[in-house]
Amino acid sequence: MAKRRKEDALETRERILDAAIDVFDRRGVSRPSLTEIAELAGVTRGAVYGHFQNKADLFSALADRIRLPDESLCQAPLDSCKDPLGELQNRWLFMYREVMINEQWRRIFSIILLRCEWVAENGEIHQRCSDGHDEGTMRLRNLVTAAVEAGQLPADLNIEMAVPILHAGVLGLLQDWLMNPKAYDLVEVGEKQILAMLEMLQSSLHLRK
């Protein structure tokens, strides 16, 4: 009986998250209420609060279904990474591929990058995004540093300048594609973009110390 109740609770939680994806993707994050999400999920508002403290908590659980763009970068421990640049390429291509073929990933990334309005009431949600950004930046910096130490990138590369440029390039392409998914093949363009950015790190004099 206890097992059944746990399964029912998990099923309800997943229904609420599914409903949140639909509501946030259509109407943005700040405007919809938890009541609207509860109605679409076919549960009471109290049931939503039984699983989530508030909208920010719901948003965080939603983001945990995938890894945020910044959190999806560079997850492997550095001491086990024999090919830092290869690891970087693989992670980025994996993210592009999943966003392109996995509808749930696409919709959640669209919510995060296009539907999350920067208004005061979204403060906790913005903090969740900021924390993911900071963690991703740190891991990206660590991988680029490892690539320099492994001789894959120039020894005099200005890492502090290179990291935000890489970050902006990847997230910018993702956001551009999400605005018009029919415009081009994200994986095909993304693969060329990654190679171009790594080539830039190798040769650009503007990225030297």
Side-chain angles (χ1 to χ4, degrees):
M1 183 67 70
K3 181 180 179 182
R4 180 59 184 173
R5 284 199 297 268
K6 184 177 180 180
E7 290 175 349
D8 288 344
L10 289 174
E11 182 182 344
T12 298
R13 186 178 189 274
E14 291 305 302
R15 284 213 318 272
I16 294 169
L17 288 171
D18 288 340
I21 291 175
D22 187 63
V23 171
F24 290 160
D25 192 26
R26 286 187 294 104
R27 292 178 28 79
V29 175
S30 64
R31 287 176 303 215
S33 66
L34 292 182
T35 300
E36 185 175 343
I37 293 170
E39 290 175 352
L40 183 60
V43 301
T44 65
R45 183 181 173 91
V48 175
Y49 279 110
H51 290 277
F52 307 102
Q53 295 179 6
N54 50 35
K55 189 187 289 187
D57 190 31
L58 175 58
F59 177 88
S60 183
L62 193 67
D64 286 341
R65 279 195 168 185
I66 60 168
R67 282 177 274 203
L68 292 174
D70 302 308
E71 293 170 338
S72 68
L73 308 178
C74 324
Q75 297 290 334
L78 285 180
D79 57 4
S80 67
C81 187
K82 308 300 182 185
D83 179 14
L85 287 189
E87 174 71 16
L88 196 61
Q89 286 179 273
N90 289 338
R91 291 289 169 173
W92 279 337
L93 283 175
F94 172 79
M95 182 175 68
Y96 287 153
R97 188 173 298 108
E98 283 300 306
V99 173
M100 189 169 180
I101 67 175
N102 186 320
E103 182 181 0
Q104 184 172 109
W105 275 55
R106 177 185 59 76
R107 296 186 77 184
I108 294 175
F109 274 128
S110 181
I111 290 167
I112 293 167
L113 295 176
L114 303 176
R115 308 283 193 268
C116 190
E117 304 90 339
W118 287 88
V119 293
E121 54 265 36
N122 283 352
E124 290 182 70
I125 294 173
H126 297 157
Q127 186 60 52
R128 171 70 171 85
C129 294
S130 179
D131 290 344
H133 180 277
D134 291 345
E135 184 178 354
T137 297
M138 178 187 68
R139 288 174 171 164
L140 177 56
R141 183 181 295 108
N142 287 344
L143 265 188
V144 172
T145 300
V148 171
E149 293 174 351
Q152 293 181 316
L153 292 174
D156 61 346
L157 178 69
N158 188 331
I159 295 174
E160 294 307 309
M161 186 178 294
V163 167
I165 290 175
L166 292 176
H167 237 168
V170 171
L171 297 186
L173 181 64
L174 182 58
Q175 186 175 45
D176 182 78
W177 182 82
L178 287 169
M179 294 181 71
N180 186 7
K182 295 181 180 180
Y184 51 84
D185 185 301
L186 179 61
V187 175
E188 181 180 351
V189 174
E191 186 172 11
K192 297 295 184 183
Q193 178 215 33
I194 293 167
L195 293 174
M197 289 194 299
L198 295 182
E199 184 178 290
M200 174 186 65
L201 296 187
Q202 293 282 1
S203 60
S204 176
L205 296 179
H206 297 290
L207 294 179
R208 299 293 176 269
K209 293 180 182 177

